[in-house]
Amino acid sequence: MGIKSYQNPAELLVKEYLLADSFIPYTSIICGICACKMVYDLTQLFSSVYFKSYPSLPKIQRTEWSNRSISTFHAMFITAMSLYFVFWSNLYSDNQYAGMVTFRSSALSTFSLGASVGYFLADLGMIIWFYPSLGGMEYVLHHLLSLAAVAYSMLTGEGQLYTFMVLISETTTPGINLRWYLDTVGMKRSKAYLVNGVVIFVAW
């Protein structure tokens, strides 16, 4: 009985506020930032246990190690969502008669873009905080432009299809990050490094 008394207000909070159309952009941004923090912390935890070379790395390299795991996680998430919306979702299908495709959006598409905005905010914050160790001005400009474009599409609902098309390019990010990991742990001359380079080339 006591659990149900808490359950109903909680469900009301989620349905009427957190997942209400007007709140989805802000909820998704917060979720994106929290996911980045969670991935960062878990990476530090698992890396210190399963990678022998991790504890011996300089502090800034350990920070970049965890930062790149966030980048990889975001890339896999947004690539999967982008591929889904561009190729498999009915949202932008010709069979849909919901107005011009340029102005079509859904709660899920908006949430996905919002989570991406959360990532760009978190990553930009880290780049600025550790500047220039995690990237120079080109990284700052890249993130600012990406942030502006994705946020505009998320907030207005305009051009989401084309935004997802561009975000498919995140496919190469895990490979680029893996290349850095292999180089950092001294595997630059390994077959894995060579194969990874070929995969990145093909993906581009």
Side-chain angles (χ1 to χ4, degrees), residues 82 86 160-169:
S82 297
V86 173
Q160 290 194 358
L161 171 61
Y162 306 111
T163 303
F164 284 122
M165 285 180 175
V166 173
L167 287 171
I168 291 176
S169 63

Side-chain angles (χ1 to χ4, degrees), residues 7-65:
Q7 186 177 4
N8 291 334
E11 289 178 352
L12 181 65
L13 174 66
V14 172
K15 291 179 180 179
E16 298 297 328
Y17 293 97
L18 296 182
L19 295 182
D21 288 346
S22 59
F23 283 90
I24 284 178
Y26 312 105
T27 303
S28 59
I29 291 173
I30 294 172
C31 287
I33 294 173
C34 290
C36 289
K37 172 62 175 172
M38 181 184 69
V39 172
Y40 186 89
D41 290 341
L42 288 175
T43 299
Q44 288 185 321
L45 178 64
F46 284 105
S47 296
S48 60
V49 174
Y50 294 104
F51 294 95
K52 294 180 180 179
S53 58
Y54 177 79
S56 62
L57 294 174
K59 184 178 180 180
I60 191 59
Q61 276 197 318
R62 293 199 302 271
T63 300
E64 185 170 0
W65 181 292

Side-chain angles (χ1 to χ4, degrees), residues 90-105 157 161-162:
N90 290 326
L91 180 61
Y92 307 111
S93 172
D94 292 336
N95 297 325
Q96 288 286 333
Y97 300 99
M100 295 179 63
V101 69
T102 310
F103 300 105
R104 293 183 196 172
S105 64
L161 171 61
Y162 306 111

Side-chain angles (χ1 to χ4, degrees), residues 91-127:
L91 180 61
Y92 307 111
S93 172
D94 292 336
N95 297 325
Q96 288 286 333
Y97 300 99
M100 295 179 63
V101 69
T102 310
F103 300 105
R104 293 183 196 172
S105 64
S106 68
L108 182 58
S109 66
T110 300
F111 186 92
S112 300
L113 292 176
S116 190
V117 169
Y119 157 74
F120 281 117
L121 285 172
D123 201 39
L124 180 61
M126 288 194 68
I127 291 172

Side-chain angles (χ1 to χ4, degrees), residues 123-134:
D123 201 39
L124 180 61
M126 288 194 68
I127 291 172
I128 293 174
W129 184 264
F130 292 101
Y131 188 86
S133 299
L134 297 182

